[in-house]
């Protein structure tokens, strides 16, 4: 059984996975190594500083 089938929802946004939808896996270390499924281009990791700064500048300008 895949991580997406076990979870049924994205670890990043909480949205449901569609049957047969392609997902990405992320590693989470929380008392052990866990693998969580996320939608493509979603992430449970914080954004890189450069990406976050560029986004903030784009929304302010």
């Amino acid at each position: 059984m895949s991580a997406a089938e076990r979870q049924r929802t994205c670890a990043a946004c909480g949205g449901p996975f569609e049957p047969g939808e392609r997902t990405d896996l992320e590693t989470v270390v929380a008392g052990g190594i866990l693998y969580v499924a996320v939608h493509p281009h979603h992430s449970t990791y914080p954004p890189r500083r450069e990406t976050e700064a560029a986004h903030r500048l784009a929304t302010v300008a």
Side-chain angles (χ1 to χ4, degrees), residues 18-57:
E18 298 296 324
E21 179 180 9
R22 186 170 176 83
T23 61
D24 291 336
L25 284 178
E26 289 191 351
T27 306
V28 177
V29 178
I33 299 175
L34 305 171
Y35 295 95
V36 295
V38 294
H39 287 116
H41 308 293
H42 287 194
S43 180
T44 59
Y45 301 128
R48 294 180 55 194
R49 285 182 164 180
E50 297 85 5
T51 305
E52 182 65 21
H55 176 69
R56 286 183 184 180
L57 287 173

